[in-house]
Amino acid sequence: MIDVPQLTSGLVRCEEAAWRDFHGGYFSRLKAQAMARGVAESDAAEVVQRVYLRILRHVKVFQADTDFDAWLSCLVRCESIDAGRRANRRTWMGERFQQWQELRRPGSVAEGLDLESAMNQLEQCERELLVRHYVEGWSQEELAREQATTPKAVESKLARLRRRLRVLLENPDVC
């Protein structure tokens, strides 16, 4: 049985032993909770790692096991929702880029949304960012290092570019 006040005190102080104990006692449970919320088994460990980051930023000393468990469940729920949103954004963009790649092949006939013309309305650096992330599979961390910025800044820029592309694709006559 884990002593929650002692464990959370150690987590607050970033003690390695406390993190080891926490991981040993809670990883499987958090992973199972993520999977119960619809996260694929292959993605569940990553969701738990993101939960760990949230714990690191926001941990406090808990006196009751039930309060700590409820807080952890809330963190898993939030991170599972965020993971689903990330997957949906990536899927939508991936589908559009796949269409774009098909349209760029010699002999193909352009049908439906014209991603090529929407992409051409973006700046070269914006197109390059989108292609690197969604077509070539660069991570936000890799893009941030290349641009000498933070992953959060890259994430924000990608979100703005997705919104712009969506507007361009849904209203091609407006632009």
Side-chain angles (χ1 to χ4, degrees):
M1 185 79 181
I2 294 178
D3 180 8
V4 169
Q6 182 181 354
L7 175 69
T8 55
S9 293
L11 295 176
V12 166
R13 292 189 305 271
C14 291
E15 293 175 354
E16 187 175 338
W19 280 101
R20 260 195 317 271
D21 291 345
F22 174 76
H23 178 73
Y26 287 89
F27 179 82
S28 297
R29 187 181 331 172
L30 298 176
K31 185 176 175 184
Q33 285 179 2
M35 290 168 41
R37 294 198 160 275
V39 175
E41 185 174 359
S42 59
D43 298 330
E46 182 178 339
V47 167
V48 173
Q49 289 299 315
R50 289 179 181 271
V51 168
Y52 284 11
L53 292 174
R54 287 181 187 228
I55 293 168
L56 182 62
R57 286 190 300 265
H58 305 291
V59 71
K60 63 180 184 176
V61 177
F62 285 86
Q63 297 303 317
D65 296 4
T66 55
D67 293 341
F68 187 54
D69 289 341
W71 183 64
L72 292 174
S73 293
C74 180
L75 295 178
V76 171
R77 179 181 56 84
C78 292
E79 196 53 53
S80 297
I81 290 168
D82 288 351
R85 288 178 181 150
R86 280 190 298 277
N88 287 340
R89 282 194 308 262
R90 191 163 186 95
T91 300
W92 181 85
M93 225 26 180
E95 289 171 0
R96 294 307 180 268
F97 274 107
Q98 191 172 25
Q99 290 173 355
W100 181 55
Q101 293 292 72
E102 290 293 322
L103 294 175
R104 293 178 67 205
R105 288 201 176 104
S108 69
V109 178
E111 293 180 1
L113 301 175
D114 190 3
L115 185 58
E116 180 92 41
S117 70
M119 289 288 288
N120 287 334
Q121 293 183 47
L122 300 176
E123 299 291 324
Q124 173 64 30
C125 61
E126 295 170 331
R127 284 192 303 271
E128 196 172 279
L129 180 67
L130 288 168
V131 168
R132 283 186 175 161
H133 186 62
Y134 293 104
V135 176
E136 297 173 5
W138 288 37
S139 71
Q140 292 177 4
E141 290 79 16
E142 292 169 319
L143 292 167
R145 275 194 303 276
E146 182 198 44
Q147 295 180 1
T149 188
T150 65
K152 190 67 178 171
V154 170
E155 179 183 350
S156 296
K157 188 166 190 172
L158 286 168
R160 286 191 304 276
L161 288 171
R162 280 192 308 272
R163 279 193 300 273
R164 272 187 55 206
L165 266 181
R166 190 174 294 227
V167 167
L168 292 170
L169 289 168
E170 291 173 350
N171 306 301
D173 300 328
V174 174
C175 300

